Amino acid sequence: MDPADAARTPSPDHPPTRRLGIPHLHQGTAPPPTAVPLYRYGVLDRFRPLRTRGSAPMHWVLAPAGAAVVAAEAGIAVRDLHYRHEHAMGIAHSLLLAHTVGINEWFTALTTTPGSGQVLTWWSETRCRQLWGDLARPDAYGRYTHTGTVLDFFLEYDLGSITLSTVANKLAGYAELARSTGIITPVLLWVPTSRREISARQALLDIWRTLPDPTAVPVATAAADRLDPAFAHPSPADRVWLPLDEPSTGRVALHQLTAAWPHLAPPPVPTDEPVPPAASGPAALPAPAPQPPNGEGEPS
C-alpha cells in the first residue's frame, strides 16, 4: 500500500485509507458520526498532524480490522493489500500529507457541492501511475459532467513547493501520452495563488508552444484564492478557469472549458476493471463510484 495514500478524503479508487470530514476546500469539520465507533472497534485509526499554530482536524486511516474488511470484500488476503499499520500511521509525518489531502479536498468539494454537476470518475495518483506512469504522472484523473457536457481531465495540484519549470516540463509526457493513445485529455493546473498562476502560465506556454502538436494537450489554470469566499460552497467547478491558449475568453466554469476546445472528442467509456498490479505491488481494487453514499450505503 502506497503510504502517500494513507490519509484520504473519500478517495474512490483506493478505499483502504481515507481522511474524513472535509466537505469543502480549506474547511475542516467534525468527523461523521460513524468515524468514532469505527475507531473504537479498530476499523479506523486517527492522528492529528502537528501545526505550529492552532490544531489540525483529525485525520482518519485504516486500522488492521478495517484492512481485514476491505480484503474480505475484495475476496483477497490482507497480505495482498500490502497493508501495514505503521505505514498507514506514518503518513502523519510524511512530506506528502499536505499534497495528498489537498487533492482529496479538491475532489471532495467538486463531488459534494450542491448544483455543481457530478463527478463520474475519480482516480488517484496511485491508479494513474499504474496506468500511465511510463509517460505521464498526473496527481489525479477525473470525469465531470454538468448540463449535458462531459469533461475528462488530468489534475496537476500545485502547492508551490516545486519549481514551475518542473510542472511545465510534464507537458511533454502528456503530449506523448496523447500521441500513443490517440486520446486528447485536458490538463488542469490548480495553484494556491493568483500570483503563482501568472508565473505558471508563462512557464507552461514556453513548453506548450514547443510541443509537436500543442492542440493535443489542452491546458487550463486556476488559483485557489480566486474562489469567492462569499459563496456558501466554493468549489473548483466555479468560474475560475482560464484556458492557456485562449485567455481572451476570460474565466469560465469547469464545465465551460469544453467550449474552449471544440476539437475534443467525446470521452471514451472508462473501464471498471481493476488495474493489473506490478508483480511486487499490492492488489489493485476496482474503483467504486466517487459519489457520497446515501442513507442505505449505496452511491447516491
Side-chain angles (χ1 to χ4, degrees):
M1 181 175 295
D2 187 345
D5 285 336
R8 306 194 66 82
T9 309
S11 172
D13 68 79
H14 209 305
T17 49
R18 299 182 177 183
R19 177 181 181 226
L20 307 176
I22 302 183
H24 306 301
L25 292 176
H26 315 305
Q27 287 185 259
T29 65
T34 55
V36 173
L38 289 174
Y39 168 72
R40 291 171 179 164
Y41 284 116
V43 175
L44 297 179
D45 209 338
R46 63 187 182 182
F47 64 87
R48 194 185 299 274
L50 177 65
R51 282 187 178 175
T52 55
R53 286 187 177 184
S55 60
M58 196 67 72
H59 290 47
W60 301 82
V61 299
L62 203 69
V69 171
V70 171
E73 288 182 341
I76 60 176
V78 174
R79 64 177 179 272
D80 294 329
L81 292 176
H82 284 211
Y83 170 84
R84 294 181 63 179
H85 185 238
E86 62 269 28
H87 288 175
M89 293 298 291
I91 191 69
H93 308 287
S94 171
L95 296 177
L96 298 173
L97 177 62
H99 189 251
T100 299
V101 170
I103 296 167
N104 296 338
E105 288 183 335
W106 193 96
F107 269 96
T108 301
L110 188 62
T111 300
T112 59
T113 299
S116 66
Q118 184 178 10
V119 177
L120 302 177
T121 304
W122 166 16
W123 290 354
S124 71
E125 181 179 6
T126 300
R127 189 179 183 92
C128 292
R129 184 169 62 247
Q130 291 172 329
L131 283 171
W132 307 300
D134 55 336
L135 296 176
R137 294 196 174 189
D139 292 324
Y141 161 81
R143 172 170 291 182
Y144 177 77
T145 182
H146 186 278
T147 61
T149 64
V150 180
L151 175 69
D152 279 19
F153 61 88
F154 294 123
L155 176 67
E156 290 289 339
Y157 186 88
D158 173 70
L159 288 175
S161 57
I162 62 176
T163 64
L164 290 174
S165 60
T166 299
V167 177
N169 284 331
K170 295 181 75 171
L171 294 184
Y174 287 116
E176 182 58 24
L177 180 62
R179 186 198 66 79
S180 62
T181 63
I183 301 173
I184 297 176
T185 304
V187 178
L188 306 185
L189 174 64
W190 183 269
V191 298
T193 65
S194 302
R195 181 175 180 179
R196 183 166 175 85
E197 184 186 14
I198 294 172
S199 300
R201 290 181 64 83
Q202 186 57 58
L204 289 167
L205 270 173
D206 290 344
I207 299 297
W208 185 79
R209 288 168 174 161
T210 67
L211 298 178
D213 181 10
T215 63
V217 189
V219 181
T221 64
D225 64 2
R226 291 189 179 276
L227 293 173
D228 191 339
F231 286 5
H233 303 282
S235 163
D238 295 348
R239 198 182 186 90
V240 293
W241 295 99
L242 187 62
L244 187 68
D245 54 331
E246 292 290 343
S248 61
T249 61
R251 301 277 169 179
V252 297
L254 182 61
H255 71 279
Q256 295 172 324
L257 284 172
T258 55
W261 305 310
H263 62 290
L264 291 181
V269 177
T271 177
D272 289 331
E273 293 299 315
V275 179
S280 60
L285 305 180
Q291 298 301 313
N294 59 24
E296 299 179 353
E298 299 296 333
S300 56

